[in-house]
Amino acid sequence: MKSLFDTVSFKCSKLVTQKYSTSFSLAVKMLSPSIRDAIYSIYGFVRFADEIVDSFHDYEREYLITDFEKEYYKAMELGISLNPILNSFQHTVKKYNITDDLIQAFLKSMKLDLIKSTYNTQTEYEEYIYGSADVVGLMCLKVFVTGKEHKYEQLKYEAMRLGSAFQKVNFLRDLKDDNLILNRTYFPGINLNNFTEDSKTQIIEEIEEDFRVAYQGIVKLPIEAKFGVYTAYVYYKKLLQKLKNTPYHEIGNSRIRVSNYTKAGLLAQSFVTYKLKLV
């Protein structure tokens, strides 16, 4: 039965989310059950594309990402894919009217990771972040507002800023791996050789402003999505605080993390704040 295959497909996307990101999985659990599968399917799609360009160095990555894209569009045309990640994602795209410009912008940034290692200008940097993070936030927003276009347009800008904040936090804490393993420098004019406390402060102030704007959108989200998104917001704010308290020369030497104990505390804090209607 096709319905059984679709159920298995969404479960595969959920498994991908759980295995690759315990933090994101925790946030998704705080969403309404009615929209969790859709968010799992978005994560599965973007995670597989990201894995292709970041991890599969012993394989023809350009061929793999191109084939992944072709298979996605084939799934959209046929209404089915034997790749369960693509099968679940195409259902979500159609159900919530996720527009193709968001998909194309995302894939463009993923392909850039195969050929571009340095982002020298603010324009290049912002274009990459838009495709790699902002549009993922917009895909999720389509689900959160259940495809309602007027609500989507109302919250679009804040959703993009939240995506930017998350991505920049990841860039900052992955500074070492991006530079030494992937040979990439996302922040214009900054790498491990010239990274200073002033550089770190400048980046953190930029992220803090993203978070400030993004919060204004979180408080306007539908009840089905608000607690889950707020949970992710609180977690990433904690990561940023840890980065802020870490000397600049140590950021490039180790990956900043939040312990499971701290995550549990943040979840409890988020729950109380949410229940008291403070967000």
Side-chain angles (χ1 to χ4, degrees), residues 3-18:
S3 60
L4 179 59
F5 178 65
D6 290 340
T7 297
V8 170
S9 295
F10 279 103
K11 286 186 180 296
C12 286
S13 293
K14 179 179 179 179
L15 180 62
V16 169
T17 308
Q18 291 172 332

Side-chain angles (χ1 to χ4, degrees), residues 13-29:
S13 293
K14 179 179 179 179
L15 180 62
V16 169
T17 308
Q18 291 172 332
K19 291 298 183 181
Y20 276 98
S21 178
T22 56
S23 302
F24 190 77
S25 294
L26 179 64
V28 175
K29 287 179 181 178

Side-chain angles (χ1 to χ4, degrees), residues 175-274:
L175 198 62
K176 178 183 178 182
D177 286 351
D178 284 341
N179 273 267
L180 300 182
I181 298 176
L182 299 176
N183 192 33
R184 294 181 195 149
T185 302
Y186 292 108
F187 295 117
I190 294 174
N191 57 46
L192 283 180
N193 296 322
N194 65 5
F195 192 61
T196 65
E197 191 66 30
D198 286 343
S199 301
K200 189 193 82 169
T201 299
Q202 179 182 343
I203 292 168
I204 286 176
E205 288 176 351
E206 180 182 318
I207 299 171
E208 287 176 335
E209 178 61 15
D210 285 333
F211 274 129
R212 186 192 67 78
V213 174
Y215 181 81
Q216 297 170 16
I218 293 174
V219 299
K220 300 174 187 174
L221 282 171
I223 192 170
E224 292 85 356
K226 186 183 292 186
F227 182 39
V229 177
Y230 181 66
T231 299
Y233 165 87
V234 169
Y235 168 72
Y236 268 88
K237 284 271 286 186
K238 182 64 176 180
L239 269 179
L240 184 63
Q241 187 61 45
K242 292 194 72 172
L243 287 163
K244 193 173 185 177
N245 294 336
T246 301
Y248 76 94
H249 53 84
E250 291 184 15
I251 288 179
N253 294 326
S254 60
R255 194 170 193 265
I256 303 301
R257 298 180 183 276
V258 174
S259 69
N260 289 335
Y261 177 81
T262 302
K263 286 179 185 177
L266 291 174
L267 177 59
Q269 171 193 330
S270 300
F271 182 74
V272 171
T273 302
Y274 176 73

